[in-house]
Amino acid sequence: MENEKNERSNIQDMVKGALIIAVIFFHSFILKDVTTYNEFHVILCLFPCVMGVFFFYAGYNYQVGKRTPGQNIVRRTKQLIIPLVVMIFVDILLVGGLQLIYKLTDLTGIWHALKQFLLSEGGIVHFHADISKTNYELSLPLAILWYLYTLYIISIIFYLIVDKVIIKLSRFIPIVVILVLLSFAIGQFIDPKLPYALQSYPLILAIMLTGAYLSQHSVLDRPLNNKKSIIIACVQMVIAESLIFGIGLLCYYAFGAATVGALPGGELNPVIKGFDAFVTYILSLFGTIFIHTLMRLITKIKIFSLFFGYLGKNVALVYVTHPIFLAYIHTLIFGRNGNVLGWFQPYAYTIITLILFIGISLLIKLIINKIKSKKNKVEEGN
């Protein structure tokens, strides 16, 4: 039982490691040229549902009865709100400081980047706020923090209702349907980009509840112990990825909608609007099936298990620090020029970020272990 639990945890770490690489690449992509944000790129159709899978896992890892709702909320506060506050100051100090030193911005530019985060992307539009001098290298590390406060707010609602919702299929289905329809209605008839991504809250809650419900039936962890089960798993992967890729292509060529199902900053697609709620929900499920099954199949390959697993175990730290690495790479190595390496530049940003993170984090752990070892020897000597 313990081995099964450890294997499940390791597979999830591998999945999260792969997903965070996709996040780094996407941010590298838009850092190279922010105008590509709304353009169509085939590579972004392959797996746009990264954030949806993260939200699905947040629900899937919920354990009924392990903690009270109050204990879960306190735990989430420590996990999400404390890092959120800390990273606001760290981003301003490290990235804003770098931009000031190189005279690439001024205090107004830093304030505008902070204002963009505080009001949110949707809030800037609705409140007609002036952020004309925003420093983009700083606005990116601040902007990605939307995930922390969004997950926190939705988790509070999730913990208060999850036990009552997932207990019966007859209760679970209508509630999830209502939540997805609510996001559809808000996105379609009000705005797909409200302040603080409010339009996506019901949708994200539906994804988390779905994860929690399917976890009761161990949907992602059924045995792969014979040839037949492996073949079935491979077929499921092919179907899942074909649907993800096919829906992405269909939405673009039929409606001109790029990067559907991605929830960038919590935003629904500006072209298909509320319909993106349905797309995101579907892609989150199929995306989780695909990436989780893939990692289960390659978990025995040591190099993949170590690489993806290490990133996955440190995924929270990678998430909040990778835009800082990107800002330094973009400014110091490439001189803020997105065309130095052409199409390869986002890949270069991603590779350098991974090398720096792994190298620095391993060095810090080595130093900490040496300090602990020295301290233990001193205590033993006394």
Side-chain angles (χ1 to χ4, degrees), residues 256-278:
T259 60
V260 295
L263 282 185
E267 177 186 350
L268 296 177
N269 187 275
V271 177
I272 61 172
K273 298 180 179 179
F275 288 96
D276 196 33
F278 302 125

Side-chain angles (χ1 to χ4, degrees), residues 11-12 56-57 60 214-215 217-222 285 288-290 292-293 296:
I11 290 166
Q12 285 200 25
F56 183 94
Y57 270 138
Y60 195 81
L214 295 180
S215 178
H217 306 280
S218 300
V219 169
L220 297 178
D221 307 297
R222 288 171 181 166
L285 300 187
T288 305
I289 291 169
F290 171 78
H292 190 92
T293 307
R296 290 188 73 191

Side-chain angles (χ1 to χ4, degrees), residues 318-333:
V318 182
Y319 183 78
V320 296
T321 61
H322 79 269
I324 299 175
F325 286 111
L326 289 175
Y328 275 73
I329 294 165
H330 188 56
T331 302
L332 299 181
I333 299 178

Side-chain angles (χ1 to χ4, degrees), residues 59-80:
Y60 195 81
N61 290 325
Y62 174 74
Q63 294 180 357
V64 176
K66 186 174 183 180
R67 300 180 186 89
T68 66
Q71 289 172 332
N72 278 317
I73 292 170
V74 170
R75 186 165 175 262
R76 269 292 192 234
T77 303
K78 294 176 181 176
Q79 290 176 330
L80 300 172

